[in-house]
Amino acid sequence: MDKLLTRAAWARVIPFALFMALLAVRGWVPATEGATLDGRWLYGVSVLVVGGSLAYFWRDYAELASDTRLSWQQGLLSIIVGVVVFQLWIVLTEPWMMLGQATASFRPVDEEGQLQWGLLVTRWMGAALVVPLMEELFWRSFLMRWVDNPDFEKISPTAVTVKAIALSTLVFMLAHTQWLAAIVAGVAYAGLYRYTGKLWAPVLAHAVTNGVLGVWVVFTGAWQFW
């Protein structure tokens, strides 16, 4: 009997599962300065744990090998997609575009309202560098192709079906409060992956979205987006 999941599948599932488990733990710890354990620092712990797991499985990510680098045209397209998704993410916030109540925001400020740079840099680097890689490996590289074939590595990104994009985007949507923005992002990243055939394309786009969002949040004080 074939294994339910191959090593390549586990290499994409485990980092994501670790992040979600640690996210649940963070929800139980007060995220306030002066608490016995400031839950905001648990984000950094999550980044270290997930980053370590990605490093451990790195050889299993054939799609990220040096010969899969983007051309400058593909890179530029990915950056443009990332910026567009960011713009839509901050405007698609009407009540009917939300699934339930937004979770508590991450506020890297002290009681006097001063920025805590350690928290800020840790959050931004995790969101812009680690999370895009972890999420694209799970949502697009694994789950989207797995919908078409449990032996997902046999499915070329350029051959992914509309059904696979739709179903994986639906699950992606359910993992976010902003359901409409999540659909836009999911379709955009999946379409970029299918068009270029390279995982680095949605990873770069996702990184641009998260990176620009982080900078925007700091300058506007719209912490609810974090």
Side-chain angles (χ1 to χ4, degrees):
M1 181 178 179
D2 293 337
K3 294 181 180 179
L4 180 61
L5 292 178
T6 63
R7 177 182 170 87
W10 283 117
R12 289 157 173 78
V13 171
I14 289 176
F16 182 79
L18 287 172
F19 186 81
M20 296 305 293
L22 290 167
L23 177 64
V25 171
R26 297 202 306 272
W28 288 94
V29 180
T32 56
E33 186 181 24
T36 303
L37 176 62
D38 187 343
R40 294 174 299 175
W41 286 106
L42 291 179
Y43 187 89
V45 174
S46 301
V47 169
L48 287 175
V49 171
V50 172
S53 67
L54 291 171
Y56 177 79
F57 288 115
W58 190 258
R59 292 184 180 180
D60 297 287
Y61 305 140
E63 291 179 281
L64 301 178
S66 59
D67 59 351
T68 62
R69 288 175 295 184
L70 303 174
S71 66
W72 73 265
Q73 294 97 332
Q74 293 170 333
L76 179 60
L77 175 62
S78 301
I79 291 171
I80 292 172
V81 169
V83 172
V84 170
V85 171
F86 154 72
Q87 291 284 350
L88 293 174
W89 195 273
I90 63 175
V91 299
L92 298 178
T93 57
E94 294 297 324
W96 65 271
M97 301 175 184
M98 311 290 282
L99 284 175
Q101 297 295 321
T103 57
S105 59
F106 181 93
R107 295 174 59 86
V109 296
D110 59 23
E111 295 178 350
E112 285 73 39
Q114 299 298 313
L115 286 175
Q116 295 179 288
W117 287 99
L119 283 170
L120 176 61
V121 172
T122 299
R123 175 74 178 200
W124 187 87
M125 291 187 65
L129 302 178
V130 176
V131 170
L133 184 59
M134 174 267 295
E135 288 209 0
E136 293 310 311
L137 280 165
F138 176 76
W139 293 112
R140 258 60 69 176
S141 178
F142 167 65
L143 185 62
M144 186 172 69
R145 293 193 292 168
W146 182 84
V147 169
D148 278 336
N149 187 342
D151 193 359
F152 72 99
E153 289 185 294
K154 291 184 177 180
I155 300 296
S156 168
T158 58
V160 169
T161 65
V162 173
K163 178 188 75 172
I165 292 176
L167 290 178
S168 61
T169 299
L170 175 63
V171 182
F172 182 72
M173 175 201 77
L174 295 175
H176 295 79
T177 302
Q178 295 173 244
W179 68 266
L180 184 56
I183 288 178
V184 171
V187 170
Y189 299 151
L192 195 57
Y193 184 37
R194 192 178 191 276
Y195 175 74
T196 64
K198 297 178 180 179
L199 188 61
W200 279 118
V203 169
L204 176 57
H206 200 151
V208 169
T209 299
N210 288 7
V212 175
L213 178 63
V215 174
W216 178 81
V217 165
V218 172
F219 277 96
T220 63
W223 303 112
Q224 68 272 18
F225 285 93
W226 254 14

